[in-house]
């Protein structure tokens, strides 16, 4: 009988795939919502007479909050759960987009699209990807990271051409209303189907080995093991301890990076999501502290002591500047400056999204097999070379050379994410998702700076050439920084050897 039940369980689709599917839909929406201002720049410029620098300021605030929200959102997901955080984020997006239709001044654009939409989409940023994959997947983690990251590209693919047509037809206010309605439509899906952890539904993470945790798949519910499953019936977690998060026997987590010893400063009762208890439970690896903000800042303080953190953050800042900040925000108006219709330019940007899906999934597959540092350096170098030739490719019509650029840039767009997530997870262990949140914050800060700088450049010079060339050169520096990340990337970090407790003879308990 037990064998028959086990066979049925193996044939059943693991709940992790359903969670990943819901996460994909939310990420698709978040990316589409965040990218919408790119198709609104020209209509807003024409209706209100605002300069591109002024409109870019709202985009810049959006990008900054999109990034800075990420590490705190990761900590909030540890404390409140993914379902609550993502549902509230979608409501913020709907509110911000809906209020936009009533604006009459540029500061209101900053408040709505900059602050509200920025906070909402930031809570569904790439740290959401890292959290889902860390909690629900052991096997296929790299490829799932790639697929979910590609959801951002799919958001562009789904939303940009449609919104561009609406903005040119019924008007930009209708486009903003469509975004608000789409965000509200996803809320019930998230609330009903998304679950925070495998233990919540009596499962283990996909690919986890129950023997490693002392639990049998299906016998773990809400942290309790049936007699015989773990030997003692003590509280157990459903997820396999991550191989890259080496457990320190005394319960303190330690991270090594190029000879620099770093302590997270928080106790880890179970690294990798083993123990669940009250306010000191280990949630997805690091400890669930009393304050999400305190935990996020504590992890930042620890990671900031390592050189690899600054190399990853610096490279990712340039990544954001060359994608979301520059191409994502200004490609459509730049093409329009050369006589290309806005709908055609939006279609090309969506085409980047198509190839980005393939490139990011393939990058996730490679991240499980190739040194992530080499992948990052290659991606940045190739991206920089393509940006240096872009100014020569703009024309009133879509030429073959521009299509080649779109395909190439699409394959490289966010292919940088899976290897960056892999490095954060490997170097920083159970705090990897929060560390990646801070690295992603640098991505959006770089994007925000580039969005404003490119807009001001266009206002003063009448073209974007300086922005394209500058971004191309910066990508070369990002490639160099990627190669300077700790050589230990790809190998588990080792905690400091710590003495074992001394047992007093005859008592069996530590003194």
């Amino acid at each position: 009988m037990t064998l028959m039940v086990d066979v049925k369980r193996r044939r059943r689709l693991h709940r992790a795939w359903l969670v990943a599917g819901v996460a994909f839909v939310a990420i698709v929406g978040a990316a589409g919502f965040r990218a919408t201002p790119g198709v609104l720049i020209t209509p807003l410029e024409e209706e209100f007479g605002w300069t591109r620098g002024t409109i870019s300021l709202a985009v810049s605030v959006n990008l900054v909050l999109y990034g800075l929200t990420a590490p705190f959102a990761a900590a909030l997901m540890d404390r409140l759960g993914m379902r609550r955080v993502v549902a509230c984020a979608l409501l913020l997006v709907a509110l911000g987009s809906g209020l936009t239709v009533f604006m009459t001044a540029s500061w209101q654009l900053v408040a709505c699209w900059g602050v509200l939409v920025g906070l909402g989409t930031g809570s569904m940023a790439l740290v959401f990807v890292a959290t889902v994959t860390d909690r629900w997947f052991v096997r296929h983690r790299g490829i799932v990271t790639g697929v979910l990251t590609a959801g951002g590209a799919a958001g562009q693919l789904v939303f940009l051409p449609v919104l561009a047509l609406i903005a040119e037809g019924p008007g930009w206010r209708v486009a903003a209303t469509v975004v608000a309605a789409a965000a509200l439509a996803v809320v019930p899906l998230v609330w009903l189907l998304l679950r925070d952890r495998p233990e919540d539904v009596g499962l283990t993470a996909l690919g986890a080995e129950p023997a490693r945790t002392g639990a049998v798949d299906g016998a773990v519910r809400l942290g309790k093991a049936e007699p015989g499953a773990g030997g003692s019936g003590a509280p157990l977690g459903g997820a396999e301890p991550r191989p890259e998060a080496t457990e320190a026997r005394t319960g303190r987590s330690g991270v090594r990076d190029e000879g620099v010893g770093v302590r997270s400063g928080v106790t880890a009762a179970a690294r990798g999501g083993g123990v669940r208890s009250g306010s000191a439970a280990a949630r997805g690896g690091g400890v669930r502290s009393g304050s999400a903000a305190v935990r996020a800042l504590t992890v930042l303080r620890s990671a900031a002591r390592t050189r690899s953190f600054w190399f990853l953050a610096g490279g990712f800042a340039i990544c954001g500047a060359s994608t979301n900040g520059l191409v994502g925000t200004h490609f459509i108006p730049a093409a329009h400056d050369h006589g290309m219709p806005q709908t055609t330019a939006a279609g090309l940007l969506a085409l980047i999204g198509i190839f980005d899906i393939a490139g990011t999934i393939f990058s996730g597959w490679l991240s499980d097999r190739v040194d992530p540092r080499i992948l990052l350096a290659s991606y940045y170098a190739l991206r920089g070379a393509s940006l240096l030739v872009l100014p020569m490719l703009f024309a009133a019509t879509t030429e073959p050379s521009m299509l080649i650029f779109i395909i190439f840039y699409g394959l490289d767009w966010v292919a940088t994410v899976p290897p960056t997530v892999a490095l954060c997870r490997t170097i920083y262990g159970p705090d990897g998702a929060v560390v990646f949140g801070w690295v992603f914050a640098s991505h959006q800060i770089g994007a925000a700076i580039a969005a404003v700088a490119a807009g001001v450049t266009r206002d003063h010079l009448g073209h974007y050439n300086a922005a394209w060339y500058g971004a191309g050169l910066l990508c070369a520096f990002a490639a160099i920084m990627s190669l300077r990340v700790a050589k230990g990337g790809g190998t588990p970090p080792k905690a400091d050897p710590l003495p074992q407790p001394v047992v007093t003879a005859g008592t069996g308990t530590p003194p």
Side-chain angles (χ1 to χ4, degrees):
M1 176 63 98
T2 303
L3 179 60
M4 293 178 62
V5 172
D6 186 63
V7 170
K8 290 181 179 179
R9 184 181 290 116
R10 289 176 181 273
R11 290 179 178 176
R12 190 186 311 149
L13 182 68
H14 197 285
R15 181 64 178 262
W17 295 114
L18 177 61
V19 171
V22 174
F24 182 84
V25 172
I27 292 166
V28 165
F33 306 150
R34 197 222 56 77
T36 301
V39 301
L40 301 183
I41 290 179
T42 300
L44 292 176
E45 186 180 28
E46 293 174 350
E47 177 170 334
F48 295 104
W50 300 334
T51 65
R52 293 191 184 178
T54 299
I55 300 171
S56 297
L57 176 61
V59 178
S60 177
V61 171
N62 177 291
L63 291 170
V64 168
L65 291 178
Y66 182 70
L68 291 179
T69 303
F72 297 98
L76 278 174
M77 287 177 188
D78 280 348
R79 181 167 177 77
L80 302 177
M82 292 188 294
R83 183 169 62 165
R84 291 180 181 176
V85 173
V86 174
C88 290
L90 288 165
L91 292 175
L92 274 178
V93 171
L95 179 64
S97 183
L99 290 176
T100 304
V101 302
F102 303 108
M103 69 180 180
T104 56
S106 60
W107 70 265
Q108 295 167 348
L109 177 66
V110 174
C112 293
W113 277 105
V115 176
L116 293 178
V117 176
L119 289 173
T121 55
S123 299
M124 297 179 287
L126 297 178
V127 292
F128 181 35
V129 175
T131 303
V132 169
T133 54
D134 277 356
R135 293 182 182 181
W136 281 91
F137 292 88
V138 173
R139 188 170 64 244
H140 306 309
R141 184 178 283 166
I143 191 68
V144 173
T145 299
V147 171
L148 292 181
T149 303
Q156 291 184 184
L157 170 65
V158 171
F159 280 93
L160 284 182
V162 175
L163 292 175
L165 285 172
I166 295 175
E168 283 199 350
W172 66 267
R173 287 182 176 82
V174 177
T177 304
V178 169
V179 171
L184 288 175
V186 181
V187 173
L189 185 67
V190 168
W191 192 255
L192 294 174
L193 300 179
L194 189 64
R195 290 295 179 269
D196 296 323
R197 298 175 181 280
E199 302 96 317
D200 295 343
V201 289
L203 298 173
T204 57
L206 179 63
E209 298 176 8
R212 296 279 302 276
T213 61
V216 176
D217 186 19
V220 179
R221 286 190 181 275
L222 302 179
K224 296 182 180 179
E226 293 179 0
S232 65
L236 296 171
E240 178 191 29
R242 297 187 201 88
E244 65 269 19
T246 305
E247 182 176 356
R249 292 183 180 273
T250 61
R252 290 186 65 84
S253 59
V255 178
R256 281 281 180 193
D257 180 25
E258 298 180 315
V260 181
V262 180
R263 294 285 186 187
S264 70
V266 291
T267 58
R271 303 189 61 184
V275 178
R276 304 185 67 192
S277 64
S279 62
R283 308 281 290 178
V287 172
R288 180 183 178 185
S289 67
S291 169
V294 169
R295 184 186 173 217
L297 294 173
T298 299
V299 172
L300 172 63
R301 184 169 59 250
S302 297
R305 299 177 189 172
T306 65
R307 287 182 292 169
S308 289
F309 173 79
W310 295 107
F311 289 139
L312 288 169
F316 226 44
I318 294 172
C319 177
S322 57
T323 52
N324 299 84
L326 185 57
V327 176
T329 303
H330 292 284
F331 179 84
I332 294 175
H336 189 65
D337 286 346
H338 289 80
M340 182 178 290
Q342 182 167 289
T343 51
T344 303
L348 290 176
L349 201 57
L351 192 59
I352 286 180
I354 295 177
F355 290 98
D356 182 23
I357 295 173
T360 307
I361 294 174
F362 184 57
S363 178
W365 182 84
L366 285 176
S367 296
D368 288 334
R369 294 161 176 80
V370 180
D371 186 342
R373 299 176 305 127
I374 302 299
L375 293 178
L376 282 178
S378 301
Y379 297 155
Y380 287 134
L382 293 172
R383 181 185 299 176
S386 64
L387 285 172
L388 292 176
V389 302
L390 178 59
M392 298 178 285
L393 305 181
F394 283 112
T397 58
T398 305
E399 301 295 333
S401 57
M402 176 60 81
L403 289 176
I404 294 173
F405 169 84
I406 292 296
I407 294 171
F408 184 84
Y409 210 79
L411 292 172
D412 189 75
W413 182 267
V414 289
T416 55
V417 173
T420 303
V421 171
L423 287 170
C424 289
R425 181 186 298 125
T426 298
I427 296 172
Y428 301 103
D431 289 327
V434 180
V435 172
F436 177 71
W438 287 111
V439 171
F440 182 70
S442 72
H443 181 281
Q444 296 309 110
I445 291 173
I449 294 172
V452 172
V456 172
T457 298
R458 165 61 173 75
D459 288 339
H460 284 78
L461 301 180
H463 56 74
Y464 286 99
N465 289 357
W468 306 124
Y469 292 138
L473 294 176
L474 285 175
C475 286
F477 287 104
I480 295 172
M481 284 189 286
S482 299
L483 294 174
R484 299 294 306 278
V485 174
K487 293 182 179 179
T491 61
K494 297 182 179 179
D496 290 331
L498 296 170
Q500 298 297 318
V502 178
V503 178
T504 304
T507 63
T509 58

